[in-house]
Amino acid sequence: MLMLATRNLGSLFFTGGVMLTLCCAGANAADFVLTSPVFKDGAPIVGTKYGGNLKSNPNCIGENVSPAFSWSNPPEGTKSFAMLMYDPEGRGGAGITQWVAYGIPASLTGLAEGEGSQPADKFIIGKNSIEPAGYIGPCAPRGAPHHYVFTLIANDLEPGALKSDLTRDELAAALSGHVKGVTGLVGLYARP
């Protein structure tokens, strides 16, 4: 069974199977919280609405609508946020990045339902492990659910500081030394 700590991610950011310490001392990550009205931390993401709809994958039978998210208590000095979605069981355990978004202005306190599924005007879209860019909803097979890890990274970079089309690993490198705090949620999903 895969066990993932989400609430107290603190200064840890996972990339390519390597754990990197990116946050500065003094950030109070326990106060920085990510929530969704669609699912609770560690609970199922119910229904196919939020599932992916890639024709090339028979497990992607959803509508590809990104869930709504909200966050509170960002660390002092936050200028922008990055949002990642990662399925560690995807591709036979090799993992798959299904959403990379960054340059989200610090003035925002959340993203509306479907906002990650559409062309972005509030943030920059990075590259996923597979095409297309932007939110790709869960595409787990029937049976044991996959764990979809949503990670929100507060950082001190201006919203337009990073170029577009960064991969998850490139984003991790670009954020090194700029992370103010990290929080996240895990949603469970299996094909109905």
Side-chain angles (χ1 to χ4, degrees):
M1 174 195 282
L2 178 66
M3 298 298 291
L4 298 168
T6 57
R7 249 330 143 216
N8 296 315
L9 293 174
S11 64
L12 302 178
F13 179 71
F14 299 91
T15 179
V18 177
M19 194 172 1
L20 301 174
T21 300
L22 297 177
C23 187
C24 56
N28 189 356
D31 292 339
F32 181 35
V33 177
L34 176 66
T35 60
S36 175
V38 173
F39 64 98
K40 302 292 182 210
D41 189 28
I45 301 170
V46 178
T48 58
K49 179 178 185 177
Y50 304 103
N53 65 355
L54 299 174
K55 293 185 186 338
S56 61
N57 185 335
N59 294 315
C60 294
I61 60 169
E63 298 173 40
N64 205 54
V65 175
S66 60
F69 291 98
S70 61
W71 49 85
S72 58
N73 302 317
E76 187 174 332
T78 298
K79 294 182 181 175
S80 69
F81 301 99
M83 175 74 89
L84 302 170
M85 177 182 165
Y86 183 72
D87 171 8
E89 292 103 350
R91 291 195 297 190
I96 185 167
T97 300
Q98 292 182 228
W99 191 19
V100 178
Y102 50 94
I104 302 167
S107 59
L108 295 182
T109 58
L111 296 173
E113 182 174 276
E115 204 163 7
S117 313
Q118 302 170 10
D121 62 347
K122 294 182 183 175
F123 52 85
I124 300 168
I125 297 174
K127 285 186 181 175
N128 298 332
S129 298
I130 58 172
E131 294 290 333
Y135 174 85
I136 298 176
C139 294
R142 285 190 173 98
H146 285 204
H147 297 75
Y148 289 86
V149 182
F150 294 87
T151 306
L152 184 68
I153 306 161
N155 63 82
D156 64 6
L157 295 175
E158 293 293 337
L162 300 175
K163 67 178 186 169
S164 61
D165 296 326
L166 293 177
T167 66
R168 183 172 177 253
D169 291 344
E170 291 169 338
L171 179 61
L175 291 177
S176 182
H178 296 283
V179 174
K180 306 302 282 181
V182 181
T183 185
L185 288 172
V186 174
L188 306 178
Y189 189 89
R191 182 178 166 190

